[in-house]
Each structure stands twice: as C-alpha cells, then as structure tokens.
Amino acid sequence: MNITTLIRPNIQALVPYKSARSQYCGQSSILLDANENPFGDGHTNRYPDPYQSELRACVAQRAQCEPENVLLGNGSDELIDLLMRVFCVPNQDAIVICPPTFGMYHVAAQINAIETIKVPLTKDYQIDAQNVGKQSAKILFLPNPNAPTGNLFAPQDIETILESFSGIVVIDEAYIDFAQTPSWSQKIQQYPHLVVLQTFSKYWGLAGCRVGMMFANAQIINAVSKIKAPYNVNVLSAQKALQAMKNEPTIKANAQILIQERARVAQSLQEYAFIKNVSASQTNYLWVEAPKAQNIAKELKKQNIIIRTYTSDPNFMRISIGTPDQNTLLLDALKTISL
Ligand SMILES: *Cc1c(COP(=O)(O)O)cnc(C)c1O
C-alpha cells in the first residue's frame, strides 16, 4: 500500500515551520536563539525539545521499536486530530467508526468537516470485519480494548481488516496495559498503514499531563510530525512521563490492584436486581447494562459518587474502577438504592 497517496496533497507539499529549538537543541549554555528568558531554572524557562528525543527513545525501547516509529502528542486526543488533518480532505474524505465507540473520533471528524461512516459492532460487541474492510474511507478508528464496552476484538477480525481496508487503520490501545494481549504496535513493520495509539492517561496515571503516544512506520510519523505544533509536549509533562516509566514496577503493581478490583466489582454488581448484565472487561472500567442507568447515576450522585451514563445508550452505564475503598463505598451505596 502506498501511504503517500493517502496523505492530503497540501500536507505532502508542506514545508514545516522551523522553530529555533528544531535548528538547535544541544547542550550549549549560551542560548540566544529562541527569545527565551535567560532567568529561571534552566529547564522550564526553555522551550521543550520539538523532537521529543528523550521520551521518544524511552517509549520506543519499551515498545521494542525504533524512535523513528514513535511520536508523542498532547494526549492521544491531539494525535487523533492530527491524523485526520494529515489524511482527510475536509468536505471530501471520510472516517469509519464502529459504535458503540470512543466519542472523540466523531467529534474530531466534525470539527475537521470529515464525514463519519458508522459500521456498528455486532450484538456481542465484535467488529463486522467484512463490512468494515470494504468501506471506502481514509481512516478507520478502532479502540482495542473497546471503549466504552471494555472487551477486546477478535485478532482474526483485526487481521481481516488490516488485509482488506484501503485506508489507515488506527488501533487505539488506551487500555492495553490492563488487558491480557500483545500490543498491535509489534505489527507496524508488517502493516505500513497501521497506526497504534497509546496514552499516559490511564495505566500510567498521568491524565493531567496530556501525553499520548503514536506508533507507526516512519513515513506516517514524519507526515504527522510535519503538522504538529513544534512544542506540543511540554517540559513538565515529558519529565513526569519519563519518571513514571522509570518507576514502572509501582505503576504495574497499582494496575494489578485495579485488575483484581475489576473482577471483584464485576462479580458483586451481578447481585443487584436492577443490573441486567456486566460485560467482561479488559480495561479499568465496567460496561454495565441497567435499564434504569440514569436513575441509578442520580441516586449515586446524592451519595457523592459519580458514574458515566450515555444519552446514546440510555440502558448502560460505565463505572471506572477506583481504589479498593472507593469500590466498596460504591457497592455499599448501590445497596441503599431503591428505584
Ligand atoms: C481515555 C482514552 C484516550 C486517552 O486520551 P488522552 O487524550 O490521551 O487522555 C484515548 N482513547 C480512548 C478510547 C480512551 O478511552
């Protein structure tokens, strides 16, 4: 597949902005090139490295790929938007999504005047792979594990799509480290049109820092790099992300607690009469079928507990897994509810 022909012609032709720090980002102590303020800690008074070299190297090493296959964004939300702006011509091109899915894809498409083609999941929340594969669109967005349903898609279905879909396949692995499955980032060499997104917001516990990761072949990484804001990941966030990666044993131990708690909460929820079903989850949240979801959320709110409901899926609610204490408070609060 030729990636170049998928890229918007104006982006192919674009000569990117050259920031001061993109022309020099070495160790000189006399930096008079970027109109920075020389007074300060020598760290936050300087612009960040536009190439994100240190964090990229660290992320690449963990994912067993090369830094040229990695790009960091201001959250994966930014990367989703950048992908649309690289590949989709406004008022002409389309993306494909498979509802129920992450709401951001459609919103970002609307902002960019891109059509959204919806190919709903099957009743058991799997992909209609034959149908998806034959859609004519520039990008397919697929969270895996899926948000908000929490399940993994059958790997054969993803393979089918990678073999048949004619555009870019974005696998959004925001929850991959809570799941028992390898990352598709290991397949970026095999599939030049595959893009994998991950984030520091969930497993790494840095939602407030806004750092997202993209894995793809160098051609795609270069095209997206061309259009990103030069300093899209700030100094403090990059530092926090690096710290977290050096501290992964702690992060991993916390994730293990969440995974154990996920099983406990899922099991306990089955016992409530007003809960119809709890989907098997490979994430840090549960997708719960409850015909009175809105009322349940309202009652919980009175007890200071906030869960997520959806106007598009009024019979469902999504509950994030909290600390063991928070989860126990949730289960206790549910006992007091009469609907
Ligand atoms: C939470 C989440 C993200 C993360 O977005 P950030 O901008 O990195 O915080 C991305 N995709 C899905 C499906 C998510 O649920």
Side-chain angles (χ1 to χ4, degrees):
M1 180 180 296
N2 188 340
I3 300 299
T4 310
T5 58
L6 290 172
I7 297 173
R8 283 165 67 187
N10 64 314
I11 304 300
Q12 285 178 41
L14 178 74
V15 179
Y17 174 71
K18 282 199 168 55
S19 63
R21 282 289 155 273
S22 71
Q23 297 186 352
Y24 180 84
C25 61
Q27 296 295 312
S28 170
S29 56
I30 306 178
L31 292 168
L32 304 177
D33 58 343
N35 296 350
E36 296 152 336
N37 192 314
F39 301 105
D41 59 8
H43 188 50
T44 50
N45 60 320
R46 298 296 175 188
Y47 281 108
D49 168 16
Y51 302 116
Q52 317 165 329
S53 303
E54 198 181 357
L55 186 52
R56 258 172 111 166
C58 206
V59 167
Q61 190 186 26
R62 182 178 185 269
Q64 294 172 296
C65 63
E66 298 302 317
E68 65 169 24
N69 301 122
V70 178
L71 186 70
L72 303 169
N74 185 356
S76 28
D77 285 352
E78 183 195 23
L79 297 171
I80 291 163
D81 179 67
L82 290 176
L83 283 165
M84 290 190 194
R85 287 158 59 197
V86 163
F87 292 107
C88 302
V89 178
N91 299 307
Q92 178 182 313
D93 288 332
I95 62 158
V96 179
I97 62 172
C98 302
T101 189
F102 185 44
M104 203 57 204
Y105 310 135
H106 180 51
V107 172
Q110 285 176 298
I111 291 168
N112 289 298
I114 298 162
E115 185 199 343
T116 302
I117 300 169
K118 296 180 182 175
V119 182
L121 297 179
T122 61
K123 286 243 177 310
D124 55 351
Y125 299 139
Q126 289 297 315
I127 318 167
D128 182 353
Q130 307 298 333
N131 194 351
V132 167
K134 63 184 186 219
Q135 295 300 321
S136 165
K138 278 289 185 69
I139 314 179
L140 163 68
F141 286 94
L142 219 50
N144 190 53
N146 192 43
T149 59
N151 58 293
L152 286 166
F153 294 128
Q156 316 84 272
D157 286 343
I158 294 180
E159 296 272 3
T160 300
I161 287 166
L162 284 167
E163 298 292 346
S164 57
F165 185 67
S166 61
I168 302 290
V169 176
V170 178
I171 301 184
D172 183 348
E173 296 185 334
Y175 301 98
I176 189 71
D177 294 295
F178 298 109
Q180 232 143 14
T181 191
S183 166
W184 285 88
S185 63
Q186 292 172 14
K187 303 268 188 178
I188 54 175
Q189 299 305 340
Q190 188 179 340
Y191 297 108
H193 61 309
L194 169 63
V195 174
V196 174
L197 300 180
Q198 293 181 9
T199 179
F200 278 90
S201 295
K202 312 286 162 58
Y203 169 78
W204 298 99
L206 294 176
C209 289
R210 316 302 308 126
V211 186
M213 298 168 259
M214 177 187 295
F215 303 92
N217 85 74
Q219 212 182 345
I220 295 180
I221 296 294
N222 290 341
V224 179
S225 301
K226 262 168 76 167
I227 72 160
K228 81 172 180 69
Y231 307 124
N232 64 330
V233 177
N234 72 70
V235 168
L236 295 175
S237 294
Q239 188 180 37
K240 290 290 273 185
L242 278 166
Q243 253 174 29
M245 292 191 87
K246 291 199 176 100
N247 211 6
E248 187 162 3
T250 309
I251 305 284
K252 199 165 180 171
N254 288 340
Q256 279 313 119
I257 294 173
L258 293 176
I259 289 169
Q260 278 172 21
E261 283 292 289
R262 175 177 80 198
R264 176 174 81 94
V265 177
Q267 167 119 48
S268 304
L269 286 177
Q270 324 262 9
E271 289 157 21
Y272 297 86
F274 48 79
I275 287 174
K276 209 165 146 196
N277 187 47
V278 183
S279 296
S281 171
Q282 294 274 313
T283 64
N284 65 338
Y285 57 84
L286 295 169
W287 179 243
V288 179
E289 185 175 4
K292 291 186 174 166
Q294 308 285 342
N295 293 340
I296 296 169
K298 218 159 109 190
E299 291 302 314
L300 285 175
K301 192 167 175 213
K302 288 183 193 160
Q303 302 193 47
N304 205 22
I305 298 173
I306 312 298
I307 61 167
R308 186 83 189 262
T309 55
Y310 299 85
T311 41
S312 54
D313 290 290
N315 294 334
F316 291 87
M317 52 195 191
R318 192 194 66 191
I319 303 177
S320 306
I321 303 300
T323 64
D325 285 351
Q326 290 173 336
N327 301 330
T328 299
L329 286 171
L330 166 81
L331 294 168
D332 289 347
L334 284 170
K335 280 184 199 144
T336 68
I337 290 181
S338 55
L339 295 165

